[in-house]
Amino acid sequence: MSKTIPVALGERSYNIHVAPGLLAHAGALVKPFASGVVPVVTDDEVARLHLQFLLAALRHEKIEVQPITLPTGESTKSFAGLERLVSALIASGVDRGGMIIALGGGVVGDLVGFAAGIVKRGIDYVQVPTTLLAQVDSSVGGKTAINVAEGKNLVGLFHQPKLVIADTALLKSLPKRQLLAGYAEVAKYGALGDAEFFSWLEQHGNAALSGDDATMTSAVAHSCRMKADIVARDEREGGERALLNLGHTFGHALEAATGYSDRLLHGEGVSIGMTLAFELSVRLGHCDAPSARRIRAHLESVGLPVSIAQIPGERPDAKIVLAHMEHDKKARNGRLTFVLARQIGESFFTRDVSKQAVLELLAA
Ligand SMILES: NC(=O)c1ccc[n+]([C@@H]2O[C@H](COP(=O)([O-])OP(=O)(O)OC[C@H]3O[C@@H](n4cnc5c(N)ncnc54)[C@H](O)[C@@H]3O)[C@@H](O)[C@H]2O)c1
Ligand SMILES: [Zn+2]
């Protein structure tokens, strides 16, 4: 059930390998790119669960490794975290022609990608994503970033990895809530551009989430293929890549309105956001109501939140949510940007949505 997905970017092309148990083969996969000491960067939680297996696989191929463990959590993706990592990388002795491995979720992947892009003016790196979100989204496409006081992911660069190794068996140790949050991004691919995949998820999504390796591997591989194809056509988000933000205008605003707290994970925000984006599409006459109902029903059936009322604690105020949308880094001159849908599998980007329509939907 092993799958290999090429990301076609000319001289920056690379492969994504997806299979359960792949960590054991990481040495052989990495070997062609390794030279000298290879820093392996991870967070405390992933270190406890999976680091020793990756180190053993690398050492088996006589690769010299230097583990670097960072504190778990989003706050590691900061200037302070970057400074600590850069120092550790330089101290490790990795050279300009060498390579760095990122083992972890999107936090580790984004930070290591950024550090690899700037240390010694750029060193190669390999992504070994360990969350579902990282396997289907953040490890693919070369966007790297840290958060600053002014907002999330505002400082970073494009730096494509040399290789992505997605071992779907690693997802078994992921807390259910994190797994579901990542699944929102999987469903997003079907919703934004592949009706057949969405139908497949309606039939098999629950099996994938319940630990069936073959179905999860298919879901991850298909998601990666969709992202890889979009990135290959639009690496720097001049156009089509923006469709990957389906559900994210609402989602980001809800995350901001809830203080980026444990009340709402990113993927949960995306799930509510996608449901709202389809509802808005129906209200504006772009999309048929049954499509929107199917989106909501499927997300709900796997256990994801689909409405603002499901966020624990005080309901975020519609006006405050709208204000966050106006400050979204993708908004221009105060005009909101949205990915809306014509039907499941057909989405489009627009700046022509009135604030009134959004307020009415948020208040409903
Ligand atoms: N670069 C991109 O294109 C892109 C795209 C989407 C999201 N992101 C970024 O990704 C980050 C979120 O990523 P995330 O959701 O993976 O968060 P994360 O990296 O914080 O991981 C979530 C939690 O799961 C733990 N964990 C990781 N793998 C595990 C495993 N196999 N078993 C048990 N626990 C495990 C981590 O220690 C952490 O506590 C955000 O910073 C976001 O901005 C980047
Ligand atoms: Zn997302």
Side-chain angles (χ1 to χ4, degrees):
M1 53 179 102
S2 163
K3 314 238 162 119
T4 304
I5 297 119
V7 188
L9 290 168
E11 60 185 12
R12 293 184 304 290
S13 296
Y14 55 96
N15 283 329
I16 306 165
H17 296 270
V18 188
L22 213 48
L23 213 55
H25 305 282
L29 290 168
V30 161
K31 185 87 178 165
F33 305 98
S35 89
V37 57
V38 175
V40 180
V41 186
T42 191
D43 72 18
D44 289 319
E45 183 64 10
V46 180
R48 191 175 64 76
L49 293 164
H50 303 296
L51 177 62
Q52 54 177 318
F53 301 105
L54 176 58
L55 295 181
L58 296 168
R59 286 183 179 127
H60 187 261
E61 293 295 323
K62 311 268 181 300
I63 297 168
E64 191 191 339
V65 290
Q66 174 68 59
I68 298 172
T69 303
L70 310 171
T72 297
E74 190 72 32
S75 60
T76 288
K77 244 180 80 172
S78 60
F79 267 118
L82 179 69
E83 188 173 8
R84 278 196 302 269
L85 175 57
V86 163
S87 297
L89 289 172
I90 293 170
S92 75
V94 64
D95 58 53
R96 175 75 183 78
M99 188 198 85
I100 302 163
I101 297 179
L103 171 74
V107 165
V108 168
D110 278 15
L111 183 67
V112 171
F114 190 9
I118 58 174
V119 168
K120 303 188 179 177
R121 297 201 184 84
I123 298 179
D124 289 343
Y125 74 114
V126 169
Q127 291 274 19
V128 186
T130 63
T131 64
L132 182 54
L133 181 132
Q135 294 195 350
V136 300
D137 194 355
S138 61
S139 69
V140 176
K143 277 191 185 177
T144 77
I146 56 170
N147 307 320
V148 291
E150 290 77 8
K152 282 193 68 179
N153 295 323
L154 289 181
V155 176
L157 41 75
F158 283 94
H159 186 37
Q160 299 291 348
K162 278 287 156 204
L163 178 70
V164 180
I165 301 172
D167 180 343
T168 46
L170 300 183
L171 303 177
K172 297 224 159 87
S173 60
L174 202 58
K176 182 72 191 240
R177 193 176 167 204
Q178 291 283 353
L179 188 71
L180 279 178
Y183 184 83
E185 306 280 4
V186 173
K188 181 190 77 177
Y189 290 110
L192 75 87
D194 191 337
E196 206 178 305
F197 182 50
F198 193 83
S199 301
W200 185 87
L201 289 172
E202 286 175 317
Q203 287 168 41
H204 302 288
N206 268 305
L209 289 166
S210 308
D212 184 74
D213 278 335
T215 356
M216 181 55 96
T217 299
S218 294
V220 170
H222 194 90
S223 300
C224 287
R225 195 168 297 120
M226 283 191 70
K227 181 157 185 184
D229 288 350
I230 292 173
V231 168
R233 290 191 293 265
D234 180 19
E235 185 179 8
R236 298 215 159 210
E237 199 165 319
E240 188 186 358
R241 188 164 178 172
L243 297 181
L244 296 173
N245 291 317
L246 173 63
H248 283 62
T249 305
F250 286 112
H252 285 148
L254 291 171
E255 281 184 273
T258 50
Y260 297 100
S261 65
D262 192 46
R263 287 171 65 196
L264 189 71
L265 299 179
H266 172 74
E268 294 168 340
V270 170
S271 177
I272 298 171
M274 247 189 308
T275 309
L276 290 173
F278 269 78
E279 279 169 17
L280 185 59
S281 304
V282 173
R283 280 168 177 252
L284 297 175
H286 299 297
C287 180
D288 60 296
S291 288
R293 277 200 293 275
R294 267 178 73 197
I295 296 286
R296 172 189 276 266
H298 178 57
L299 295 170
E300 209 164 22
S301 80
V302 299
L304 277 162
V306 291
S307 72
I308 296 178
Q310 285 170 281
I311 302 172
E314 202 183 326
R315 185 185 170 107
D317 180 75
K319 288 210 179 72
I320 291 175
V321 175
L322 181 70
H324 283 297
M325 288 182 183
E326 290 172 309
H327 289 116
D328 192 287
K329 67 173 180 280
K330 294 194 167 94
R332 298 260 190 293
N333 312 321
R335 288 179 77 186
L336 308 176
T337 67
F338 277 99
V339 178
L340 296 181
R342 294 202 175 82
Q343 57 182 345
I344 290 174
E346 195 184 336
S347 57
F348 62 99
F349 180 85
T350 177
R351 294 190 196 281
D352 292 324
V353 176
S354 77
K355 289 171 193 169
Q356 195 51 37
V358 176
L359 268 182
E360 280 169 21
L361 175 67
L362 288 173

